[in-house]
Amino acid sequence: MLPWRHPSQAFSGVLADVGTPVDKAVLAALTTRDIVLPPSRLRAGRERTTLEELKHWGVSPKMVEKLLRPFLAGVVLERELETSSRFFHLIWRSFARGTIAVPALGMGEITRQLASRLPEEAITLETPVIAVTEEGVETAGGGTIPARAVVVATDPAMAAALCPGLEIPRMRSVTTFYHAAFRPPTDDATQFVDVQGEITDTLVISNTAPAYAPPGRALISTSVLGILSDADEPRVRERLSQIYDADASGWEHLATYAVEGALPAMTPPFSMRHPVRLGPGRYVCGDHRDTGSQQGALVSGRRAADAVLAEQW
């Protein structure tokens, strides 16, 4: 919660027991610096791990453990704070300057809007591609689709299978549990981080996007690092009761999504720009070509599109 966007909360933030007044002054200085400097300066800064960078700034262990480690775990999907300090400053800048949001109609709305601008006959679904060839692509059914330009927009493992020689970064994993409740455990659109337990973060996502749940129901989204299963749900539910100070025993467990390759690891030395052009007419995009984030995926897609236009038209 940013004090310049929520002035009424500023005083409670100063008094919160997450660090000393010096800690808060240091964090304010760090945040101001990241807001003021252009992204190019942040990308070109000296690189360390995030933990080393926080120590360099003089942030105390208490502030790290009470605030930064649990918060950043939900962003970079790791608790050791070994992520590149350059990426940390960029993402911290984004949190300070931007507004956190989710698409009102879900993430799929992004692709639906993109597809709506294309002729219907230009889109082929449920046609797995098994190889990128000199002529275009080969499909699992034995057919071929000729193409002057091929853009591989997949996860890193699939991209490497289709484009031999492509580097596969180490990946972070996360599991998300979805629960439905007849009453939201909180009326706030607030993301809670778990300082003491295994939960990375949880929020009543329908408080932010009401369309995510039908009238009279609330949708709670909870993330945990690593690969979990439905068998772990009762333990997660118990912890949610403690976090929300509410009885979660009556919540409906809707789904468990374990994503093994959720985010590329971004440990030093970390390059924020990998080539998107692999050869004549062959391109690749995804967050593994830029930074491990939705923003990185979008930026790499634009870079690939620019490369196609520059070469083909």
Side-chain angles (χ1 to χ4, degrees):
M1 183 173 292
L2 304 177
W4 50 89
R5 295 216 179 109
H6 304 273
S8 63
Q9 302 295 324
F11 190 62
S12 63
V14 171
L15 297 179
D17 184 27
V18 294
T20 67
V22 172
D23 273 328
K24 292 162 188 175
V26 167
L27 195 60
L30 184 156
T31 302
T32 302
R33 177 253 197 187
D34 287 353
I35 290 174
V36 172
L37 288 184
S40 58
R41 287 280 301 277
L42 299 179
R43 287 194 294 266
R46 179 176 176 179
E47 188 176 38
R48 315 173 168 89
T49 68
T50 296
L51 183 58
E52 291 169 340
E53 181 71 356
L54 294 174
K55 290 180 178 178
H56 172 76
W57 275 82
V59 179
S60 73
K62 182 177 181 180
M63 176 69 89
V64 170
E65 299 304 324
K66 289 278 191 177
L67 175 65
L68 295 170
R69 191 188 300 277
F71 172 72
L72 292 172
V75 178
V76 296
L77 302 187
E78 57 98 358
R79 294 186 184 276
E80 303 306 314
L81 299 181
E82 60 181 10
T83 296
S84 167
S85 58
R86 292 174 180 172
F87 179 73
F88 160 71
H89 284 296
L90 285 174
I91 201 71
W92 196 255
R93 182 180 193 273
S94 296
F95 280 125
R97 292 173 61 95
T99 300
I100 302 172
V102 294
L105 300 179
M107 293 300 297
E109 187 63 20
I110 297 174
T111 52
R112 282 191 289 270
Q113 288 183 14
L114 290 172
S116 68
R117 302 173 66 179
L118 297 172
E120 185 175 344
E121 64 273 13
I123 301 174
T124 302
L125 303 177
E126 299 181 4
T127 308
V129 170
I130 61 173
V132 176
T133 67
E134 292 184 0
E135 293 75 28
V137 298
E138 180 182 348
T139 65
T144 60
I145 300 176
R148 185 171 52 170
V150 175
V151 180
V152 177
T154 70
D155 63 88
M158 180 57 69
L162 294 173
C163 308
L166 196 68
E167 180 184 357
I168 304 177
R170 182 162 57 98
M171 302 297 290
R172 311 287 191 189
S173 58
V174 67
T175 301
T176 301
F177 295 87
Y178 287 98
H179 293 91
F182 287 105
R183 294 181 59 186
T186 177
D187 293 328
D188 293 332
T190 301
Q191 184 178 33
F192 294 88
V193 297
D194 189 3
V195 176
Q196 300 176 348
E198 66 174 330
I199 288 175
T200 306
D201 56 76
T202 180
L203 72 158
V204 183
I205 197 167
S206 54
N207 285 351
T208 299
Y212 281 29
R217 300 276 273 176
L219 179 64
I220 299 97
S221 172
T222 304
S223 295
V224 182
L225 297 188
I227 300 299
L228 280 72
S229 68
D230 287 346
D232 300 292
E233 188 273 336
R235 185 177 75 253
V236 172
R237 181 194 297 258
E238 182 179 357
R239 182 58 184 154
L240 289 174
S241 293
Q242 298 169 354
I243 291 174
Y244 286 108
D245 192 22
D247 182 7
S249 61
W251 293 1
E252 180 185 358
H253 176 215
L254 298 176
T256 301
Y257 294 103
V259 184
E260 189 166 353
L263 202 68
M266 294 172 282
T267 55
F270 174 63
S271 174
M272 295 193 186
R273 289 289 185 272
H274 293 279
V276 294
R277 182 183 182 275
L278 302 178
R282 300 297 177 261
Y283 314 87
V284 62
C285 65
D287 63 357
H288 52 99
R289 311 312 294 167
D290 279 75
T291 59
S293 60
Q294 293 177 14
Q295 178 70 12
L298 292 170
V299 169
S300 77
R302 179 176 291 278
R303 289 174 56 218
D306 289 341
V308 171
L309 292 174
E311 184 174 12
Q312 302 295 331
W313 284 271

